[in-house]
Amino acid sequence: MATLPGRRPIRGKIRPPTKKAAAESLFDTSWPELASAMTTIQQQKTNTLSFEEVYRLGYNMVIHKYGEKLYLGIQGLIDKHLKTEAENKIVPLLGIADASPAEGVELLKAIQKVWMHHITCMKMFKDTLLHLDKSYVPQTRLPATYDMGLYIFRDSIIRSSTHPIQAHLQLVLLNQITQERKGDVIDRGAVKASTDMLLEMKENNGTDAVYVADFETLFVETSREFYRLESEDLVRRFDPPDYMKKVENRLDEEKLRCNHYLTARTEPKIRLIVEDEMIAKHLKTIMEMENWGLKQLLINHRLQDLDRMYRLFLRVPDGAKELQNGVAAYINECGKASNAGVKASTQESLEKGAVPGVTVALRWVQEVLDLKDKFDKVLVLSFAKDKAFETAINAAFERFINLNTKAPEFMSLFIDNKLKKEFKGKTDDEVDTILNKMTTLFRFLSDKDVFERYYKQHLSSRLLLGKSVSDEVERGMITKLKIECGYQFTSKLEGMFTDMRLLADTTSSFKDFLENAVEPPPFDLHTTVLTSTFWPIATTPITCHFPESFLTAIKVFERFYTSRHNGRKLSWHPTMGNVDLRATFNTKKHELNVSTMAAVVLLLFNNIPADEPLTYTAIREETKLPDDHLKRTLQSVACGKFKILIKEPKSREIEDTDQFTFNAGFSEKLMRIKIQTIASKVETVAELKETKEKVDDARNHMAEAAIVRVMKNRKQLDHNNLVAEVVAQLQVRFNPSPTMIKRRIEALIEREYLERAPGDRKLYNYMA
C-alpha cells in the first residue's frame, strides 16, 4: 500500500461478507424457489415456468457445493409426490381389482397413468438439473436424477411397504394371461404397458429389471401348473398327431405372447416349461410317431421342413441324437484340419531352424472363433438356441481344441495381441464381444491351469512395458476368468494390478527421499517393486554384472526401501527393466530406450576405443549374462532394425566367435529410438518341456492339497469316493487322471498324512 510521507496508512473499515454466509444465504433462498418449480412441473403447470431460471437455480447450488442438499431435497420431493399419487389414484382401486378382469385392467391403467406422468416429470427434472448430474452425481456414484426417480417409483409405488400394490399388480397380470390362454380376448395394451414399466425399472445394481423379481418368477411358476393340467387332459383326449399340433400351437402362442407384451427373455423359460410338461413328461407317446421322417430331414438339411421337427422332436434327447452327431462330426473335421495346419506350420518352422511365430497362434484361434461364430448363427437362426444342440456343439469344440497341446498358449497369445494393439479404436461393445468369445473358448479348455501360466506371463509383460490398451479392459477380462474359475484362479493376476497401483506411492516417496539424500544415484532411477508370489518371475534372478553406476543407484534405492519395509528382500531382475541411454554418434546424438541387459552390454563400449571390437566371449565374461539372454540382447542391438553395434561376420544368428564394434556412423531421423529385445512368441520344444514340468509339479501340489482337504473333512473315505471328490474339486483347473490321484495318495501315505484302514486297503484314514 502506498502512503504519503509522515502519514499513517488508512485501513478500510468495510469488510466483505464471508463466503460461507453467502453460500448459505444462496441455498436458503434458491431451494424454496427450485422446490416450487419442481412441484409446478408435477402439477402439469409448466407454462408458468422459466426453465432457464430453474436451471440456473440448480446450477448455482451445485457450484456452491450444495449438490448433496439439492440431491436429497429432490429425492424427498419425488417420494412425497409419488406417495400422494398412490393414495389418491391407485389405492382406491385395490379393493375392486379382484372382482373381475375388467376391474383389474382399470388398476393397470391407473398405475400406467401415474407412471407415464412420472416419466414425463423425470425427463423435465433431468433437463433442469443437468449440472447436478454432470458434476455432483459422478463424484458420489449416486444414480442420476432420472434413474433415482425410477428407483423411487419402484419403492414407493410398486413395492410400497404400506399398500399391497405389488401383489394386486401380479395377480391382475397373471389373471389376464390365463384368460387369454383359455381363448378370451384381453386388453393386451394394458398388459404390455405394465410389463414395459417393470422392464424399465431396475434393481439396485442398475442392470437387472424389476420385471424379473416382481413378475417373471411368479409367471413361470404358475405357467408350469397350467400346462401340467392341460397336457394330462390333452393326452387323454387326442391322438399323437393332433396332440403335437396342440403343442405346436401352444409354443407359437407363448412365443407371440412374449414378443407382444412380455419380453423375449421370458420366452425361453416358458418354452422350456411347455417342452417339459407337454413333451418330456409324455415322451413315449411322442417318440412313437415314426412317420415324421426325422432322419430324412436331417440328411437333406431342409431347414424349413425341420422347423416343426426341431421345435418338437429336438427337445427330446433321443430324437436329437442323429442331428447332434452329424453336426459334431463336421465340427471335428474342421477342427482337425486347423490342428493339422498348426502342426504343419510348426514343423516347417523347425525344419528351417526358426522358432514358430505368433502368426500361427493367431491364425489357429481366429479359425476356431470363425467356426464357433458360424455355428452360433446356425444355433440361433435354425435351432433357436436349443440347449441340447448347443451342448453337442460345445462338446465337439472341446474335443478338437484339447487335441491341440498348444491351445492354452495360443489363446493367451491371441488375447495378448488384442489387448496390446488390436483393441485400439474399438467400442466397448466390440471389445466385450471379443472377450466373451474368448471366454467361451477358454471354457472348453481342460488345462486351464496351463492357460493361467501363459496368461500371467503375457499380462506381466503388458503391465510392465505399458503396452496394454486399457486397464479397464484388462480387469474386465480377469473378471470373466474369475467368474469361470473362481477367485483362486485370478488372485495372482489381481495382485499384479495391486503392485502397479502401489507403484505411484513408492515412486513419490522415493522422490522425497532423494531430496534429502546425501549421495543421490548418478542418474534418474525409476523402480517397479513386484511381489514375487504374484508375478511370473524366477525366485532367483539371472546373473548379471551391473556397471558401477547401476550398483550405486541400486544401493540408494535399497537404503530407501529397507527404511520403509523392514525385513523385505529385494532381488533385481535385469530381464524386466529398461534404460534410457544418450548415445553420441559421428553426426548426431540419439536417446536410446533399451532393455537393462542391452544397456549393460552397450556401456561396455564406453571403456574401449570406438573402433576396437569386443568378442562375444569377452562380452559374456564382462556381463555374466546367460547365453540365451545375451544372444537375444545382441540380436536386438546388432541384427535388428537399429544396428547400434556392427556384428562380424554378418548373420542373423549369434555365434561364440562373433565380434561386435560400436557403430559410430549410425544415424536415424528420430531423436528417440526404442529398441525391443528379440524374443520368441511361441515356446520352443525345450521351453514347452520346462513349462510342462512346472505345471505337473503345481498339479501335484494342488492334488495333494485337495486330497488333504477332503480327508480332513471326512476323516475316513474309500478310494473311489475320494477320487471322485478330488476330481470334482480340481476339474475347474484341470482334469486329473485317477492314476495321478492314486500316486498322490501314495505320496501322502508315505509322509503320514493318510493311512490305510486295518483290514481294508481301499479305505483311508486321515491322520491329524
Side-chain angles (χ1 to χ4, degrees):
M1 178 184 294
T3 59
L4 294 175
R7 291 193 178 185
R8 297 172 61 188
I10 300 175
R11 296 181 179 178
K13 295 182 179 180
I14 300 177
R15 299 285 187 269
T18 63
K19 292 184 178 180
K20 181 177 180 181
E24 291 178 351
S25 175
L26 172 69
F27 181 80
D28 292 340
T29 56
S30 299
W31 169 245
E33 294 182 35
L34 183 61
S36 175
M38 295 305 173
T39 303
T40 301
I41 291 175
Q42 292 172 335
Q43 294 173 350
Q44 304 182 37
K45 299 178 181 178
T46 54
N47 58 328
T48 62
L49 285 180
S50 169
F51 284 95
E52 182 179 355
E53 293 180 5
V54 177
Y55 174 84
R56 192 175 301 280
L57 290 172
Y59 177 85
N60 288 335
M61 281 189 274
V62 173
I63 65 174
H64 285 86
K65 309 301 181 184
Y66 277 92
E68 181 179 4
K69 283 189 175 183
L70 176 59
Y71 191 90
L72 293 176
I74 295 297
Q75 195 175 45
L77 200 69
I78 296 171
D79 183 61
K80 181 180 178 181
H81 172 73
L82 289 178
K83 287 180 178 178
T84 302
E85 290 283 277
E87 291 284 350
N88 296 336
K89 299 180 180 179
I90 298 175
V91 174
L93 297 176
L94 296 182
I96 62 172
D98 303 338
S100 67
E103 297 294 345
V105 171
E106 292 302 316
L107 174 63
L108 299 183
K109 291 181 177 179
I111 295 175
Q112 181 63 19
K113 185 176 181 181
V114 174
W115 165 255
M116 293 306 298
H117 172 59
H118 178 65
I119 290 297
T120 302
C121 293
M122 290 315 304
K123 289 178 179 178
M124 294 184 180
F125 280 24
K126 174 185 174 182
D127 292 339
T128 55
L129 300 173
L130 185 62
H131 195 66
L132 179 68
D133 286 342
K134 285 186 175 181
S135 179
Y136 173 74
V137 168
Q139 296 174 2
T140 57
R141 298 184 179 180
L142 291 170
T145 305
Y146 183 84
D147 296 333
M148 173 188 69
L150 301 192
Y151 288 141
I152 296 174
F153 188 93
R154 177 197 68 190
D155 296 334
S156 298
I157 292 187
I158 301 301
R159 296 177 180 175
S160 172
S161 58
T162 56
H163 303 292
I165 299 175
Q166 182 187 46
H168 282 79
L169 175 62
Q170 292 171 339
L171 181 62
V172 171
L173 288 174
L174 293 175
N175 285 342
Q176 289 293 308
I177 294 174
T178 301
Q179 291 298 317
E180 186 179 50
R181 283 172 173 168
K182 292 180 178 179
D184 295 340
V185 178
I186 65 170
D187 190 338
R188 283 190 162 195
V191 177
K192 177 175 173 54
S194 298
T195 55
D196 286 347
M197 172 187 68
L198 296 176
L199 284 167
E200 187 168 352
M201 285 184 288
K202 305 297 181 184
E203 299 288 358
N204 290 335
N205 60 17
T207 55
D208 295 337
V210 170
Y211 171 89
V212 176
D214 285 25
F215 173 72
E216 187 181 66
T217 302
L218 187 60
F219 171 61
V220 169
E221 292 174 358
T222 55
S223 296
R224 181 174 293 279
E225 179 63 16
F226 176 86
Y227 282 112
R228 183 185 68 81
L229 297 174
E230 181 175 79
S231 64
E232 292 175 355
D233 178 59
L234 293 178
V235 163
R236 290 193 301 267
R237 296 194 295 119
F238 293 95
D239 58 22
D242 291 336
Y243 176 79
M244 294 299 292
K245 291 178 182 178
K246 296 288 184 184
V247 174
E248 185 182 49
N249 290 336
R250 280 303 190 189
L251 288 168
D252 291 341
E253 288 172 8
E254 292 298 339
K255 184 175 182 179
L256 291 173
R257 180 176 294 109
C258 291
N259 291 338
H260 186 78
Y261 60 77
L262 296 180
T263 174
R265 60 174 294 175
T266 303
E267 190 270 334
K269 300 177 182 179
I270 295 300
R271 186 182 72 239
L272 289 174
I273 288 176
V274 178
E275 293 167 2
D276 184 46
E277 296 296 335
M278 303 191 78
I279 301 175
K281 291 185 178 179
H282 306 284
L283 179 63
K284 186 176 180 179
T285 304
I286 298 173
M287 290 304 297
E288 288 175 352
M289 300 169 64
E290 298 178 354
N291 56 346
W292 281 77
L294 174 61
K295 184 176 180 180
Q296 184 179 2
L297 293 177
L298 176 65
I299 294 174
N300 293 329
H301 295 285
R302 299 182 59 176
L303 297 180
Q304 292 183 352
D305 293 335
L306 277 170
D307 182 53
R308 174 178 291 179
M309 294 296 294
Y310 161 73
R311 287 184 285 106
L312 301 177
F313 280 79
L314 293 188
R315 290 172 170 83
V316 182
D318 291 341
K321 188 173 182 179
E322 290 297 328
L323 177 59
Q324 293 170 7
N325 288 342
V327 173
Y330 176 75
I331 294 175
N332 283 325
E333 182 182 348
C334 295
K336 288 179 179 179
S338 295
N339 290 344
V342 170
K343 188 175 180 179
S345 299
T346 303
Q347 186 63 33
E348 183 181 352
S349 298
L350 294 176
E351 290 175 355
K352 294 179 179 179
V355 177
V358 71
T359 306
V360 177
L362 299 182
R363 184 175 69 245
W364 182 83
V365 176
Q366 191 59 55
E367 287 176 359
V368 176
L369 286 175
D370 292 342
L371 189 64
K372 186 67 171 66
D373 285 342
K374 174 182 176 180
F375 280 93
D376 284 344
K377 291 178 181 178
V378 171
L379 183 65
V380 173
L381 299 177
S382 299
F383 301 104
K385 302 180 182 179
D386 183 274
K387 294 298 180 184
F389 189 75
E390 182 179 6
T391 300
I393 292 176
N394 291 345
F397 272 92
E398 182 176 352
R399 192 176 303 114
F400 85 78
I401 285 175
N402 288 295
L403 289 175
N404 182 4
T405 56
K406 288 183 171 289
E409 181 185 6
F410 284 3
M411 289 185 188
S412 181
L413 282 169
F414 185 87
I415 297 173
D416 180 62
N417 185 65
K418 294 291 184 183
L419 291 172
K420 283 197 298 190
K421 52 187 178 181
E422 291 200 10
F423 279 161
K424 290 181 180 178
K426 292 188 179 294
T427 65
D428 291 343
D429 289 341
E430 290 173 335
V431 170
D432 197 53
T433 298
I434 295 175
L435 293 183
N436 283 336
K437 290 179 180 179
M438 286 308 304
T439 304
T440 301
L441 294 191
F442 167 76
R443 199 175 296 138
F444 297 146
L445 281 177
S446 58
D447 296 334
K448 293 181 174 63
D449 55 337
V450 180
F451 172 88
E452 177 195 9
R453 187 174 189 85
Y454 288 116
Y455 191 86
K456 193 191 303 180
Q457 293 173 355
H458 297 143
L459 174 63
S460 67
S461 175
R462 292 195 298 273
L463 293 180
L464 294 177
L465 300 179
K467 290 185 176 181
S468 181
V469 174
S470 165
D471 282 352
E472 183 180 352
V473 177
E474 291 279 10
R475 292 181 184 276
M477 186 62 203
I478 291 176
T479 300
K480 295 179 189 298
L481 295 177
K482 182 191 291 186
I483 293 172
E484 292 297 323
C485 298
Y487 168 77
Q488 192 65 29
F489 188 86
T490 59
S491 59
K492 293 183 179 180
L493 303 179
E494 292 173 329
M496 294 184 191
F497 281 96
T498 301
D499 282 350
M500 298 306 292
R501 188 170 63 250
L502 296 176
L503 175 61
D505 179 58
T506 303
T507 302
S508 176
S509 300
F510 183 52
K511 184 178 179 182
D512 296 338
F513 174 82
L514 292 179
E515 291 179 356
N516 301 317
V518 178
E519 297 180 4
F523 50 80
D524 290 339
L525 177 65
H526 299 276
T527 60
T528 303
V529 182
L530 309 178
T531 306
S532 59
T533 54
F534 293 155
W535 297 77
I537 54 180
T539 306
T540 303
I542 66 169
T543 57
C544 179
H545 184 258
F546 290 115
E548 192 62 33
S549 59
F550 282 35
L551 295 175
T552 302
I554 287 173
K555 290 178 181 178
V556 172
F557 185 81
E558 286 181 341
R559 285 200 304 271
F560 154 74
Y561 195 77
T562 53
S563 67
R564 286 168 53 92
H565 304 284
N566 188 26
R568 295 188 183 180
K569 181 181 178 182
L570 291 175
S571 298
W572 297 84
H573 290 261
T575 57
M576 306 181 74
N578 58 81
V579 179
D580 287 338
L581 297 175
R582 292 188 180 91
T584 302
F585 300 93
N586 290 341
T587 59
K588 196 173 183 180
K589 293 182 179 180
H590 288 283
E591 186 173 313
L592 308 179
N593 179 262
V594 297
S595 69
T596 304
M597 294 183 294
V600 171
V601 171
L602 291 175
L603 288 175
L604 294 177
F605 291 86
N606 278 347
N607 304 324
I608 61 175
D611 57 348
E612 183 176 327
L614 280 177
T615 64
Y616 174 82
T617 306
I619 295 174
R620 180 176 58 190
E621 184 65 26
E622 289 288 337
T623 62
K624 306 298 183 185
L625 287 170
D627 282 329
D628 55 342
H629 290 280
L630 179 56
K631 287 182 178 181
R632 283 204 297 268
T633 300
L634 288 172
Q635 279 182 325
S636 66
V637 295
C639 305
K641 179 180 179 181
F642 306 108
K643 294 178 175 59
I644 309 302
L645 302 180
I646 298 175
K647 174 183 173 296
E648 291 294 340
K650 309 245 181 238
S651 65
R652 181 67 177 172
E653 300 302 319
I654 305 295
E655 303 295 341
D656 291 356
T657 56
D658 290 345
Q659 292 185 338
F660 299 88
T661 309
F662 179 69
N663 185 9
F666 175 82
S667 180
E668 186 68 27
K669 292 182 180 179
L670 298 174
M671 179 65 184
R672 179 177 172 83
I673 300 171
K674 185 171 185 178
I675 303 176
Q676 296 182 347
T677 302
I678 296 174
S680 59
K681 294 295 185 178
V682 178
E683 285 190 325
T684 62
V685 175
E687 291 171 334
L688 185 61
K689 182 180 179 181
E690 181 184 356
T691 298
K692 187 177 185 305
E693 290 175 353
K694 292 180 179 179
V695 169
D696 288 342
D697 186 55
R699 287 180 175 181
N700 288 338
H701 288 302
M702 284 190 285
E704 290 181 357
I707 293 169
V708 171
R709 281 196 300 270
V710 173
M711 291 303 300
K712 187 176 182 179
N713 182 47
R714 294 296 199 91
K715 304 304 181 186
Q716 187 179 73
L717 198 63
D718 65 273
H719 179 80
N720 290 337
N721 284 323
L722 176 57
V723 171
E725 291 200 27
V726 171
V727 170
Q729 288 192 19
L730 296 180
Q731 63 184 0
V732 176
R733 304 292 295 274
F734 66 98
N735 290 327
S737 66
T739 304
M740 177 242 192
I741 297 174
K742 183 178 180 181
R743 287 199 300 266
R744 300 335 307 159
I745 292 174
E746 295 291 344
L748 290 172
I749 291 175
E750 291 178 5
R751 302 205 299 272
E752 298 184 353
Y753 284 91
L754 308 178
E755 67 175 1
R756 297 185 188 275
D760 189 351
R761 291 183 57 82
K762 292 186 177 181
L763 192 64
Y764 305 110
N765 294 329
Y766 175 71
M767 300 177 66

